Amino acid sequence: MRTFLRVIGGLLVLLIVAIAGLLIGARFADGPIEIIAGGPFKTGQLVSGAEPDWSFVHDVKEVEFQLLEPPRSRTTWILDHEGKAYIPSGYMTSWWGKLWKQWPHEAEKDPRVILRIGNSLYERRLVRVQDGPVIAPLLAQLSSKYLDGREVPMEAVTSGYLWIFELAPRS
């Protein structure tokens, strides 16, 4: 029985060390590793010039973005409406979201981000959108694009459970 407990304990310690190593190592990666926050972007071409029509992201499922402070990157969904791009962040009032979703609060302190789509980098600013005529079309797109048509109620936004950020120009 003692040997069995030692083996189980050893495996548990090994698992904890492996997870900690992955989380720490990801901070040095060029971008996120799936749902694990990564380090600052090291690759990609900065796009400059005229403001793009963001409707090209309509068929893009996931993008990466990096906060400038703290310099960490994440993978996220992306929405578009009337030529503008938006990032949703759900679970904000759940215990899981309070533990896992720190970036929206960090973005409120310093909204500067770099968005990476493929090999292109866009300097943007996250602006939280809490009401207005843009919310309903974004919720409809969120439903159809990511949730197999399950309705997202307006209450998700008004209650603070779902935060939506516009990827506005930086200047």
Side-chain angles (χ1 to χ4, degrees):
M1 183 67 162
R2 271 190 155 167
T3 303
F4 175 74
L5 290 177
R6 283 185 180 162
V7 168
I8 295 298
L11 289 174
L12 187 59
V13 167
L14 185 62
L15 179 63
I16 291 170
V17 168
I19 291 171
L22 176 63
L23 293 174
I24 292 168
R27 301 298 170 133
F28 299 98
D30 175 24
I33 302 170
E34 296 301 323
I35 65 167
I36 299 171
F41 298 144
K42 298 173 187 160
T43 60
Q45 290 294 114
L46 186 63
V47 175
S48 59
E51 177 68 10
D53 176 354
W54 290 94
S55 60
F56 76 91
V57 302
H58 192 76
D59 295 321
V60 175
K61 284 287 193 185
E62 294 180 338
V63 296
E64 298 173 341
F65 74 95
Q66 172 199 322
L67 294 174
L68 293 191
E69 193 56 45
R72 288 194 297 268
S73 55
R74 288 149 183 87
T75 301
T76 189
W77 295 344
I78 190 161
L79 305 168
D80 70 285
H81 181 65
E82 295 184 346
K84 295 181 179 180
Y86 299 84
I87 291 178
S89 178
Y91 307 107
M92 293 302 295
T93 57
S94 69
W95 71 269
W96 173 249
K98 290 177 183 177
L99 177 67
W100 179 38
K101 299 272 186 143
Q102 297 303 309
W103 73 261
H105 301 287
E106 294 165 347
E108 286 194 313
K109 293 175 187 161
D110 185 352
R112 298 171 302 151
V113 298
I114 300 171
L115 178 69
R116 180 161 66 182
I117 303 173
N119 194 43
S120 299
L121 302 174
Y122 302 88
E123 294 182 318
R124 310 307 294 169
R125 181 173 48 92
L126 291 177
V127 177
R128 187 172 174 197
V129 181
Q130 299 181 58
D131 54 27
V134 72
I135 298 295
L138 290 173
L139 295 179
Q141 188 179 125
L142 182 63
S143 170
S144 65
K145 188 172 181 179
Y146 297 105
L147 305 175
D148 295 323
R150 289 189 313 272
E151 183 182 352
V152 181
M154 185 68 74
E155 183 181 291
V157 176
T158 58
S159 70
Y161 180 80
L162 174 65
W163 289 19
I164 298 176
F165 291 94
E166 178 186 345
L167 286 157
R170 214 172 286 155
S171 53

